[in-house]
Amino acid sequence: VNRLDADVLAYEYPGYSIADGAPSEKGLYAAALAAYQWAVRPAADGGGGAAPDQIVPFGRSLGSVPACYMCSVAPEPLGGLLLQSPLLTGASAMLGKGVATVGSCIDVFKNSNYILKARCRVAIAHGTADEVVGFSNGKALHRRCADAHEPLWCPGRGHNNMDEKAVLRYFHGVLDYVEANQT
């Protein structure tokens, strides 16, 4: 069995899967912030008891948005950020363009802005044949990272057929790198 040797905190977004409420961008951010706040709350107070540098959000596709947001609003740097098939912005994902629409009031899910505020190592895995969230999104987001890990570009792979073992090995290597380089 492949494992990352990590504790996992999973959370739902309002209106998605089994969670109550209506889906919204605001709901994604509220859920990410609540998860972060629970994770850093001391265990004696009913929280997860984690230090910020022990938190490494993972986001895939739309899930990249709350993960990037969490890194951008955390008061202290997080341990890292792992993204699989991330979108640059909502418009970039829908239109298939790798061009940030920064400043556009009609665009949503602006990872292009959040990634600029990430004060941690960022690792991105993306398939080069992704027809759901175009590969150009991952490449453009990677270029915007201040502390980018060497990306994992998966030739000929799409949104839902990435080599899971290769992605798991890649993220495991990133976590090993982050752990070895923490101060």
Side-chain angles (χ1 to χ4, degrees):
V1 174
N2 291 317
R3 298 184 182 191
L4 290 177
D5 294 323
D7 294 323
V8 175
L9 168 62
Y11 58 95
E12 284 285 354
Y13 323 125
Y16 292 87
S17 185
I18 61 171
D20 292 334
S24 70
E25 184 178 16
K26 185 178 177 182
L28 290 176
Y29 303 143
L33 186 56
Y36 170 80
Q37 290 170 337
W38 179 87
V40 297
R41 186 178 318 126
D45 293 336
D53 68 352
Q54 295 175 311
I55 298 171
V56 180
F58 167 81
R60 179 182 181 274
S61 193
L62 180 62
S64 68
V65 178
C68 287
Y69 175 78
M70 187 184 298
C71 280
S72 77
V73 299
E76 297 178 48
L78 300 186
L81 176 61
L82 308 178
L83 303 173
Q84 183 176 341
S85 308
L87 38 133
L88 182 63
T89 71
S92 294
M94 290 187 307
L95 300 173
K97 305 288 184 197
V99 179
T101 54
V102 177
S104 170
C105 63
I106 60 170
D107 201 357
V108 294
F109 306 133
K110 294 182 181 176
N111 278 347
S112 58
N113 291 348
Y114 303 137
I115 203 72
L116 296 173
K117 297 175 186 174
R119 296 170 290 151
C120 60
R121 189 69 161 192
V122 179
I124 299 176
H126 210 122
T128 62
D130 192 329
E131 294 181 358
V132 176
V133 177
F135 175 52
S136 60
N137 282 258
K139 287 193 320 185
L141 200 59
H142 180 260
R143 285 192 300 269
R144 297 178 75 82
C145 297
D147 187 9
H149 199 81
E150 184 68 27
L152 175 66
W153 304 141
C154 300
R157 296 299 182 130
H159 198 72
N160 296 311
N161 72 345
M162 299 222 4
D163 181 341
E164 291 179 22
K165 288 182 181 181
V167 173
L168 188 61
R169 277 192 307 273
Y170 169 69
F171 286 143
H172 193 286
V174 173
L175 292 176
D176 286 346
Y177 175 88
V178 166
E179 184 176 29
N181 290 283
Q182 283 182 331
T183 54

